Amino acid sequence: MHDMVVAFSKSWGLFYLIALAVGVVIYAYWPANRAGFTRAKNSILDKDDRPWS
């Protein structure tokens, strides 16, 4: 019984992680998210983002 549970959890865990990785890649390359990622990429260069003086 234990071996069956271990095999089941290993195989479905693998499928779960692959599906999660595919979901993250789809989210990252979805065209509607491009503006947010571009804003985040350029936000480090904003003039308001300076060390305190």
Side-chain angles (χ1 to χ4, degrees), residues 2 6-7 15 18-19 21-23 27 29 39 44 46 52-53:
H2 179 264
V6 169
F15 293 141
I18 289 172
V22 168
Y27 174 77
Y29 285 104
R39 187 172 52 248
I44 196 166
D46 286 345
W52 293 349
S53 16

Side-chain angles (χ1 to χ4, degrees), residues 33-47:
N33 296 331
R34 181 172 299 183
F37 288 138
T38 303
R39 187 172 52 248
K41 178 180 74 172
N42 294 330
S43 68
I44 196 166
L45 303 173
D46 286 345
K47 295 178 182 174

